[in-house]
Amino acid sequence: MRWKRKSTAIMAVSFFIAILVWSQMGMYLAHLLFDVNVKVNFFKFCISLFKENSLYYFLVITFLNSLIAYAIVITCLKLTQQYVLSRRFKTRLMSLRNIVLTANIIQDFQPLNQNIIVIDHDRAMAFTVGFRRPLVVLSSGLVEMLDQEELEAVIAHEAFHQSHYDSLKIFLLQLISQSLWFIPITKWTYRNFKLISELLADEYAVQKTGSELGLGSALLKLIKKGFSDNPTPVLVYFSDGAVNYRLQQLVDPNQVIPVRLGMISIVISIHVLLLFMGMIVLAVT
């Protein structure tokens, strides 16, 4: 339950910042391009503080326009890139689908959502892909490596990501963190939501299977395989330390796992947001 609350809070913070900043950018562009009379706008207020046609006026307007242009370009680029790559990736996955193994998995484990496939691949992989209708993907290498209890735990873990649309949430948080790079807390929310989503999926898998043994054993097998083989998509995230927290939670669920924001990021983010909101208040008054 504590991870659920933290997950919700992190999402709320990131979306609040994104809506606040993106809405101000949109109003500024409406004023700039279509001469819409916008009274309450951070960017317009910043420019009004300097004498028109002065050096500082030119520098500020150049900086703000560049900031907005970057945010728009990176957002459009990432959305287009994600759309194209997702279509290609799904097509590739379907070409590798093992119909027999997929049918066996569905019959043996009877997942509530049958958007699950097994692909022919020697390496052990398990992931959830897609936004509108998330698809759980297992590799034949993973199915062969894990026993029944371990496989059930992995499927339950991925089913949680699938039912909670975690791939969509993580993509949106990544998009926010990249387009609003000047607010460091957005990068923190993206990084920590990924970790917390893994911990929540682990909690669900344990509740679903009734034991920590299956999931813990599966994690250890994947780690061992990762050390003896080239990194695979399912193991890339393990390499950044997330697996340590996941194993720690399995061993001692009551132990506190630090999910903290660095002091520098806090200071910068607070100052930027206070400046942002303060200027809006001054413009209103």
Side-chain angles (χ1 to χ4, degrees), residues 230-275:
N230 292 326
T232 66
V234 76
L235 294 175
V236 168
Y237 189 51
F238 288 170
S239 64
D240 65 4
V243 70
N244 295 329
Y245 293 127
R246 295 177 65 185
L247 291 173
Q248 180 178 320
Q249 178 179 249
L250 292 175
V251 174
D252 185 5
N254 296 320
Q255 189 171 348
V256 176
I257 296 177
V259 182
R260 297 177 180 175
L261 182 60
M263 184 57 65
I264 295 178
S265 295
I266 293 175
V267 172
I268 294 175
S269 297
I270 289 177
H271 276 76
V272 170
L273 290 175
L274 285 178
L275 179 65

Side-chain angles (χ1 to χ4, degrees), residues 145-185:
M145 184 178 69
L146 303 182
D147 63 28
Q148 194 84 351
E149 186 179 11
E150 294 163 348
L151 196 55
E152 182 184 6
V154 170
I155 292 173
H157 175 99
E158 293 303 330
F160 178 89
H161 289 312
Q162 182 186 50
S163 62
H164 287 76
Y165 297 91
D166 282 342
S167 54
L168 174 60
K169 294 175 183 177
I170 289 172
F171 172 71
L172 291 175
L173 291 175
Q174 182 186 43
L175 187 64
I176 293 170
S177 70
Q178 291 178 342
S179 62
L180 304 182
W181 58 268
F182 49 91
I183 305 178
I185 196 174

Side-chain angles (χ1 to χ4, degrees), residues 82-83 85-94 113 115-117 119 126-138 158-159 161-163 165-168 171 233:
Q82 186 66 33
Y83 175 77
L85 291 179
S86 292
R87 289 180 64 88
R88 290 179 181 175
F89 189 49
K90 279 199 171 183
T91 301
R92 176 61 175 165
L93 288 175
M94 290 305 168
N113 188 333
N115 285 334
I116 180 172
I117 65 170
I119 60 172
F127 55 90
T128 303
V129 62
F131 296 155
R132 204 157 50 93
R133 287 180 293 180
L135 180 69
V136 172
V137 181
L138 309 174
E158 293 303 330
H161 289 312
Q162 182 186 50
S163 62
Y165 297 91
D166 282 342
S167 54
L168 174 60
F171 172 71

Side-chain angles (χ1 to χ4, degrees), residues 18 26 40 44 49 54 74 109 133 135 141-142 145 155 176 210 226:
V40 183
K44 183 181 175 183
L49 294 175
S54 67
I74 200 68
F109 297 97
R133 287 180 293 180
L135 180 69
L142 180 80
M145 184 178 69
I155 292 173
I176 293 170

